[in-house]
Structures are given as structure tokens and as C-alpha cells.
Amino acid sequence: MLILKTIEEFTKARSNLLKGDSLGFVPTMGYLHDGHIELIKRARQENKYVVTSIFVNPTQFGQDEDLDKYPRDFEKDRNILEKYDCDLLFFPSTKEMYPSSKPGETFVVPGRTAEGLEGALRPGHFRGVATVVTKLLNIVNPTTTYLGQKDGQQVAVIKKLVEDLNFTTNITVVPTVREEDGLAFSSRNSYLSKGNRKKAPVLYSSLLIASSEYKNGDHSAQHLKEMIREQLKMDSEITIDYISIAESNSLQEVEKASPGCMISAAIWLGNTRLIDNIVLE
Ligand code: PAF
């Protein structure tokens, strides 16, 4: 695997590699886990070449968020990428991505898909995501970009970005990868204390209860959300940020759940924020 740290080196390496062949791209912030590995495997299966980026993007973190303590382990990531046969790793510095003194003087501002849920609670987050993804797509110029369903709103925002700004990349969304007890893999799971790690699967199990109630014929979004709330409230240490049932592309909240709706929730367990979702079939 080649590791490229500047945009110039990367674009040269990319064009040396590609002669009309397909390139699969997995954008990440590193600290790779089984969820990322699934994206890389899928990209490997479907493309001649695979590019992964590792960049902890400062513009998508709020002032009080975890940019400084965001977990990083380059050697481990590098071994994983070698093992799964990634061809190019784009691993730029912050200065390489944001050379002006104030990071990101020009931003890409996503529209309505970014307003609710994560966007409402993390102001500026999706502006940072849309900006860095635009930059990465311009640099990498992939045939297909692979995203995890775990970040359901991010998927909706990036799909709309690609459509509205005429990027040529295809988007492939890969199902959430879970630990044996149901907890979705996330780099931030490493913040969980032992006790809270044991409790964390309740987020997914509460979503599962609502989705099986939906399958049993109860389509009232209010009722399904109430069921999730009741499950989560059983643990007094959990703080609920939101529970939502929304159409999964527009992210507009619905009154009646239907196929294609995303049931999602965000909670705090101690000082760890967890998100998860299920898309109804
Ligand atoms: O999901 C992530 O890891 C990030 O939000 C992304 C898409 C790499 C942009 O920084």
C-alpha cells in the first residue's frame, strides 16, 4: 500500500494507477473497526483499486466536542489497511487539507437533510462533513464511495450533496456492523466505561422493539417512539438526545411509519454519545 500525505502526491499516484479502471473510496477518520473493514471489503470486491482516507476533520467538530481526544492509532490502521489490500491511503495533515490560517474559509452548506436530528444538536457538524467530503471527492475522484448506514443522516446529507453538486461518484451504503450483543461498531465506543459498555446495547434493542412492533402492524410514529423512550428511560443514567422516525432520504419526520423510514435515536451514556438506526423494510 502506498501512503500519500500531500494532495499533489496523491493525485499523481492516483492517475498512475487508473487507466479507465474503477476506484472504490472509503472515507474515514481512522481508528478503524469492523464497520470500516466491511466498507473496505466491499470496495475491494467491487473495484480494481481501493483508496481509504484517514483524516480527523476539525471542521465537523463543535467547540465543546471531542476533536482533541478523538481516538487515533495510525499503526493499527495501517496494518488493517494492508491486511485488507487497500491500494492507496490518503493521510493528509490538517494543514494540507485546510492551508489557510482559518480552517475552511469556504464551506459547503447542506440543506434540509442536515437541519434535524444530529444537525440540530451539533450545529455546524454537517457543514464540516459536507465541506471535507467535497474536498475528498475532488481529490480522490472515486467511481464509488462507500458509506456506513450507522451514520444514517450523514448518508442522506452526502447523497444529496453528490446529487446537488453533480459529483460523478456512485454511493454504496453498507449495512451497520454490530458487536455480538447488538452494539453498532463506532470509534467512539472506546470512550465507554466497562459498566456503560454493558448497558450500551439497549439503544439497538429499543429500536428493534419498535421495528418489530411496526412489523406487527403498529405504524403510529408517536407510539413507536414512545416505546423506544420507555425502554431507554428504564436506565436513569441514559439521557435521550432524540428519537426520530423520518423518511430516510429527506429526513422529514413522519406521522405514519412506512417502508423506507429510518427509526433513529441518539443517547448519552455517561460522557459517551451513541447513535443508531434501523431502516424499515
Ligand atoms: O464518517 C466519518 O468518518 C466522517 O464523518 C467522514 C465521512 C470521513 C467525513 O469526515
Side-chain angles (χ1 to χ4, degrees), residues 113-173:
T113 48
E115 278 170 10
L117 311 179
E118 294 299 294
L121 285 147
R122 304 181 64 192
H125 170 65
F126 285 118
R127 187 181 78 151
V129 170
T131 302
V132 82
V133 169
T134 297
K135 289 161 79 69
L136 290 168
L137 291 178
N138 281 332
I139 297 162
V140 177
N141 195 4
T143 319
T144 305
T145 302
Y146 293 81
L147 301 171
Q149 177 56 39
K150 150 97 186 352
D151 297 302
Q153 188 174 16
Q154 174 168 279
V155 167
V157 168
I158 295 176
K159 275 186 174 169
K160 198 79 185 90
L161 169 85
V162 163
E163 183 188 330
D164 288 350
L165 298 189
N166 304 97
F167 284 105
T168 53
T169 185
N170 305 307
I171 298 288
T172 292
V173 183

Side-chain angles (χ1 to χ4, degrees), residues 4 57 62 85 96 103-104 117 131 144 150 167 171 196 200 205 210 219 221 231 235 256 268 270 273:
L4 299 318
N57 172 37
D85 213 8
E96 182 68 12
L117 311 179
T131 302
T144 305
K150 150 97 186 352
F167 284 105
I171 298 288
N196 283 339
S205 59
H219 294 180
Q231 288 299 311
D235 186 333
K256 260 194 179 319
W268 284 93
R273 189 165 183 277

Side-chain angles (χ1 to χ4, degrees), residues 185-224:
F185 276 98
S186 162
S187 306
R188 288 188 168 101
N189 291 351
S190 62
Y191 300 156
L192 287 165
S193 67
K194 252 193 173 162
N196 283 339
R197 171 63 191 81
K198 279 202 184 124
K199 294 174 171 186
V202 69
L203 176 57
Y204 181 53
S205 59
S206 70
L207 300 179
L208 273 182
I209 288 171
S211 85
S212 64
E213 181 73 3
Y214 166 80
K215 280 181 202 146
N216 288 337
D218 183 352
H219 294 180
S220 155
Q222 196 189 342
H223 188 211
L224 297 173

